[in-house]
Amino acid sequence: MSSLRLLALCLALLCLTLEALDFKTYEEAKILQKKSKKLIMLEVMRSNCHFCSDMQRDVFDDKEMSLWIEERFIPVKVNLDTDSLPLGLKVSFTPSFFFIDIDDNIKKKIPGSWNIEDFKSLTKDLK
């Protein structure tokens, strides 16, 4: 393999590991929640969902926004193409967001794709 191809491969792999928001599995989030008492922010998405991709690119890949979210919530992503929803949750469309407390109560449900300012506004008072 040429050094240029090796460099390109390394850069591609690095980009894949640089997703700004560190999504957990639901099981990991429940363990972390016992210690932190933070709400779980559960994003329900699909692989081919244009609006889900927009939300990932425009909101979750933003480093400052990712830090803001991780200070307040434990982020979890469930892909309906490969995973099942916990707690018997149902969605009409993707993306949809559920904010879940330590007792598995839904504190808020937010359907749809949002920009950074709107998503902050919709979630800033959740505790």
Side-chain angles (χ1 to χ4, degrees):
M1 181 179 282
S2 74
S3 48
L4 186 55
R5 279 190 174 173
L6 182 59
L7 178 60
L9 178 62
C10 289
L11 287 174
L13 290 173
L14 180 63
C15 288
L16 290 175
T17 62
L18 288 179
E19 185 173 275
L21 193 56
D22 184 21
F23 286 98
K24 308 291 185 202
T25 66
Y26 187 73
E27 294 76 20
E28 291 170 332
K30 288 306 289 181
I31 293 167
L32 291 170
Q33 192 178 45
K34 289 178 184 174
K35 297 175 186 170
S36 70
K37 307 292 188 232
K38 293 178 184 178
L39 292 177
I40 292 172
M41 180 192 83
L42 178 75
E43 177 192 7
V44 182
M45 50 80 67
R46 289 194 183 276
S47 299
N48 62 350
C49 169
H50 171 73
F51 298 107
C52 299
S53 298
D54 288 350
M55 190 85 185
Q56 179 66 48
R57 181 192 64 240
D58 298 339
V59 178
F60 300 136
D61 286 346
D62 181 271
K63 190 65 173 170
E64 286 181 32
M65 183 60 175
S66 295
L67 292 171
W68 189 89
I69 289 170
E70 289 177 346
E71 286 174 5
R72 290 159 179 76
F73 310 113
I74 304 167
V76 172
K77 184 180 287 196
V78 173
N79 185 333
L80 291 179
D81 296 332
T82 57
D83 306 313
S84 58
L85 284 173
L87 307 174
L89 297 172
K90 305 258 188 247
V91 295
S92 299
F93 56 89
T94 57
S96 288
F97 300 87
F98 294 88
F99 294 84
I100 305 165
D101 71 13
I102 198 161
D103 296 318
D104 292 334
N105 297 312
I106 307 301
K107 301 300 277 183
K108 188 169 191 172
K109 178 183 177 183
I110 303 172
S113 180
W114 305 90
N115 63 36
I116 288 175
E117 295 78 22
D118 291 340
F119 196 71
K120 272 188 179 181
S121 178
L122 289 166
T123 60
K124 68 180 177 187
D125 295 328
L126 286 171
K127 293 182 182 182

